[in-house]
Every structure is written in structure tokens, then in C-alpha cells.
Amino acid sequence: MSNQDIERLKNLLGTHVDFPQKGIVFKDIFPIFQDPTAVEALVCNIVHHINSTYSEKIDAVVGLDARGFLLGPIIALRLGAAFVPVRKQGKLPGDCVQATYVKEYGEDVFELQRSALKEGQHVIVIDDLIATGGSAAAAGELIKKCNAKTVEYVFIIELDFLNGAKALDAPVYSLIHF
């Protein structure tokens, strides 16, 4: 993606101070989705990156609750892969694996349906933003519990000063850095 495209996406982001609690500066990706050309550029960039970086087939794209659900199914479709949601505790039916994580403003539990991933599958994790890396690391833990392999974590935004990528067990690809 060109620097001009990255700047365009940055300019579309919303910024909300003290949300969801005091001291947090929330970067809002929803304005990007009001511009279909920006969304297409974002999707094409991510798909091109994955296809040009990895020779092995990506079997599944795991999207994190809830913003990972916006791009995850589109990316999975373009890659010819399954989409697998990671949801907050109690939102998925059936036998689920669980992982607890601490995020920058609290603690939560993620779940993934045990049957959604098969042993040895290659998985991409996608979410809107990486801050401390807690939620993405929990997704990686869930993938391991299913005996699958995280190939890469993909984010629209990375807050570099929080060093969240260091908490993860696979490479990180982020388009916008703060």
C-alpha cells in the first residue's frame, strides 16, 4: 500500500479521547467503512501481503470479537479460507476452548469453538488494532489449544509505544502505526 493510501486511511480514522474510559485514546476504524474505495484498498493490501509472504495455503482466518468480524470474512473469502470467530465468553454454542487475557482497561475471556479449527491448519488472526497484545495473544492461545498454527497476526492499526507485538507468537503485519 502506498504512503498516500496509508495517509488516506489515517485521515479517515476517528479519534475519541477518554473512551471507553478516562486515559484511553480510542482509534475508530468505522469511518473507513463509509468509504468503499478505502475498504477495497485495505482488503486488497492485506490479501496481497498474505499471498506474497506465505507459500503455504492459509486454511482459516480468525477474527476477534467484534471488529475482526468486519474484515475477517472478506479476507477469508479472498484467500479461499474458512472464517472462524473468536467471541467473548458465553456467546458461542457447543464445546469451546477458553483463554483469559488482560487488556489495557480490564480483563476478559475469549472462546473459540473447538471444532472450528483442525490440527495442523495454518491460521491468520485479524483485528482492527493491537495495543498491549492481550486479546491477540489469547486468540493465539486458543489456536494452539486446537493444535493449529498461527502464521501471522494482521491489524489495521498498531500502537507501537505499547509493544503489543512482543506478546505474540508469530509475525505481525500492521498498516498504520502510532
Side-chain angles (χ1 to χ4, degrees):
M1 186 171 261
S2 73
N3 287 341
Q4 184 178 5
D5 288 335
I6 296 290
E7 285 306 310
R8 181 169 177 230
L9 290 175
K10 271 187 178 180
N11 290 333
L12 288 171
L13 293 174
T15 301
H16 304 277
V17 178
D18 295 331
F19 181 84
Q21 71 181 40
K22 192 166 183 57
I24 302 293
V25 178
F26 185 84
K27 295 295 185 182
D28 184 7
I29 64 163
F30 287 135
I32 292 172
F33 287 88
Q34 295 171 11
D35 183 335
T37 305
V39 174
E40 181 62 23
L42 181 61
V43 168
C44 286
N45 175 271
I46 293 170
V47 170
H48 174 74
H49 164 75
I50 293 166
N51 283 333
S52 64
T53 305
Y54 299 101
S55 59
E56 69 262 50
K57 178 177 178 352
I58 301 303
D59 301 299
V61 174
V62 168
L64 305 191
D65 195 343
R67 288 175 185 83
F69 299 172
L70 296 171
L71 287 176
I74 299 167
I75 302 299
L77 181 66
R78 300 260 180 111
L79 294 173
F83 174 71
V84 177
V86 166
R87 305 250 8 230
K88 293 192 175 141
Q89 185 176 24
K91 301 290 184 184
L92 290 172
D95 184 24
C96 295
V97 290
Q98 292 187 337
T100 302
Y101 65 99
V102 177
K103 49 190 181 177
E104 58 276 14
Y105 46 85
E107 186 175 281
D108 221 332
V109 177
F110 266 164
E111 291 184 331
L112 183 145
Q113 290 172 311
R114 190 179 303 274
S115 63
L117 294 174
K118 309 292 184 271
E119 184 172 343
Q121 285 189 311
H122 295 98
V123 178
I124 297 286
V125 175
I126 190 162
D127 202 7
D128 65 328
L129 180 140
I130 179 169
T132 62
S135 59
E141 183 181 332
L142 294 171
I143 292 162
K144 279 183 186 171
K145 287 181 178 182
C146 292
N147 297 311
K149 179 186 179 200
T150 303
V151 174
E152 188 171 59
Y153 294 87
V154 175
F155 304 97
I156 300 170
I157 302 166
E158 183 170 348
L159 303 179
D160 295 324
F161 63 95
L162 292 174
N163 298 311
K166 292 180 180 176
L168 304 180
D169 60 350
V172 171
Y173 178 68
S174 304
L175 284 91
I176 299 170
H177 294 265
F178 288 103

